[in-house]
Amino acid sequence: MKNMKAVVQNEYGDADVLTYTDVEKPKIGEKEVLIRVAYTSVNYADIKKRSGNKGKDNFPQILGLDVSGIIEEVSPNSTFLKGDRVIAFPKNGSYAEYVAANEQLVFKIPHNLPLEKAATMPTVSILSYILLYEVGQVQKSDTLVIHSAAGGVGSMLVQLAKLADIQNIIGTVGDLDKENYVKELGADTVCTYKTFTKEVLKQTNYQGANIIFDSVAGEVSGNSLDCLALFGTLVQFGNSSGKAGTFKTSDLHSSCRNIKGFSLGTTRKHNPARLAPVAEKVLKLFDSNEVTLPVAQVFSLSDAAKAHKLIESRSYEGKVLIKINHSLL
């Protein structure tokens, strides 16, 4: 039996439930690959899962959504080769030296793209591209509101919207200390969750925003509807506030507005083939430096708990990474 280092969780709780330990190296099945992990990113979904806010889990469990790394082993007739540099969404967590992944959720990365840079992008970039183009179906003349604009998905949405020549991009943040960062990414205006409703109405001659991207939920969703234009779309893709947003059906039909929901996790599980064409597009954008995600901090695998505490503090900009196999870097 071959072992590897991983960060394992045996119960719900704060960051201190994360344990750095030895576990059995995963075995691959048909149409799967084994990846030696260079980096994994830390996403807010990891915090929710660790705390028990994403449904029931079986313990012990390994957290984490995505990796960059190098393929170590392939199954027969694979489209991949040992040594391929890839990003992937692994099967059973990513805070580990090795992960197994379904081939449909593994994507080769351009030769010159560093593994650290590639690690910033799988979850947030693929999600953002789908939100902007497929779910939001944005037009150049739109006014957009992007909530949590300094976070990973927000940072990506702002850049993609700027690249698409969107007329007016309004970002919201919890603290205006992050204003310059979000403006440098391409936002025209940055405001707080408390002031955005008034600001949007003021800027749009009280017509409202055409599309609002909301990963916060709770009160932010209700306040978003207060400044959503006729025929506008509220795209709901998370609830980092920990509270559900509420609305009345009468808020929608008479104004011809709509609410769309999207989950990358659900898509990975039920429609994984949808991701490959998007991954190809965003990898090209990263490789050509048309978009980038700043790295807030890089932690070692044994310090995963510290990475979680930084995410929970919300006092960071861009992506938080965990460096795993130093020999790959």
Side-chain angles (χ1 to χ4, degrees):
M1 185 196 307
K2 291 187 177 176
N3 283 351
M4 64 175 182
K5 291 292 185 186
V7 170
V8 175
Q9 173 181 2
N10 292 298
E11 60 181 326
Y12 295 125
D14 62 20
D16 295 327
V17 300
L18 300 177
T19 306
Y20 180 64
T21 187
D22 288 308
V23 298
E24 193 175 345
K25 199 169 162 183
K27 295 181 176 67
I28 60 170
E30 194 178 344
K31 295 193 184 302
E32 291 181 352
V33 298
L34 183 71
I35 300 166
R36 191 173 184 209
V37 180
Y39 293 90
T40 180
S41 71
V42 184
N43 293 282
Y44 200 80
D46 301 348
I47 310 298
K48 289 179 66 182
K49 196 168 171 64
R50 188 203 73 216
S51 308
N53 295 329
K54 277 184 81 72
K56 289 280 183 194
D57 296 295
N58 295 316
F59 294 114
Q61 72 171 359
I62 296 173
L63 297 173
L65 298 177
D66 55 29
V67 299
S68 69
I70 293 175
I71 291 185
E72 182 86 359
E73 187 186 333
V74 297
S75 55
N77 305 313
S78 176
T79 54
F80 292 94
L81 297 170
K82 181 176 178 178
D84 281 346
R85 301 166 74 252
V86 295
I87 52 170
F89 298 105
K91 276 168 59 180
N92 298 308
S94 62
Y95 295 12
E97 289 182 311
Y98 294 87
V99 295
N102 182 308
E103 286 185 0
Q104 279 193 299
L105 296 172
V106 181
F107 315 103
K108 291 181 190 178
I109 65 175
H111 179 67
N112 292 322
L113 187 63
L115 287 166
E116 179 179 309
K117 192 172 177 181
T120 65
M121 58 148 298
T123 296
V124 296
S125 304
I126 292 172
L127 171 56
S128 298
Y129 196 96
I130 292 173
L131 288 173
L132 200 75
Y133 288 104
E134 298 179 19
V135 183
Q137 297 178 339
V138 296
Q139 308 293 318
K140 287 187 179 181
S141 57
D142 286 339
T143 290
L144 302 190
V145 175
I146 297 168
H147 289 311
S148 195
V153 180
S155 296
M156 201 69 238
L157 275 170
V158 171
Q159 288 182 80
L160 289 174
K162 186 71 175 175
L163 207 58
D165 291 326
I166 302 302
Q167 181 178 312
N168 190 13
I169 304 165
I170 300 171
T172 69
V173 291
D175 190 320
L176 283 178
D177 286 353
K178 299 172 181 176
E179 180 178 9
N180 287 343
Y181 168 76
V182 177
K183 281 190 170 173
E184 281 169 14
L185 293 173
D188 300 296
T189 307
V190 179
C191 39
T192 67
Y193 300 124
K194 291 179 180 174
T195 61
F196 81 88
T197 304
K198 284 182 182 173
E199 185 62 34
V200 170
L201 291 171
K202 182 174 142 193
Q203 283 199 26
T204 59
N205 201 20
Y206 292 86
Q207 300 301 299
N210 306 101
I211 303 171
I212 300 178
F213 293 100
D214 173 23
S215 61
V216 183
E219 286 181 7
V220 169
S221 297
N223 294 340
S224 295
L225 281 171
D226 290 340
C227 62
L228 184 64
L230 296 177
F231 304 98
T233 301
L234 173 63
V235 179
Q236 219 295 317
F237 64 99
N239 67 330
S240 62
S241 66
K243 298 170 186 169
T246 58
F247 62 91
K248 301 191 296 290
T249 52
S250 56
D251 287 336
L252 303 179
H253 70 86
S254 60
S255 59
C256 302
R257 301 183 297 178
N258 63 90
I259 296 175
K260 290 183 177 180
F262 186 78
S263 161
L264 189 63
T266 302
T267 308
R268 287 197 307 268
K269 185 176 178 180
H270 296 287
N271 189 8
R274 183 174 179 179
L275 303 186
V278 179
E280 190 178 341
K281 285 172 184 153
V282 293
L283 278 163
K284 281 179 182 168
L285 291 174
F286 269 79
D287 193 38
S288 61
N289 288 316
E290 289 178 85
V291 296
T292 187
L293 269 170
V295 174
Q297 200 165 335
V298 181
F299 293 86
S300 64
L301 185 57
S302 57
D303 284 334
K306 290 181 182 175
H308 273 229
K309 287 171 183 173
L310 177 61
I311 295 277
E312 288 175 289
S313 76
R314 299 190 188 276
S315 57
Y316 67 96
E317 297 166 348
K319 287 296 292 177
V320 174
L321 300 181
I322 294 174
K323 184 190 291 187
I324 299 180
N325 278 301
H326 292 250
S327 61
L328 295 181
L329 313 177

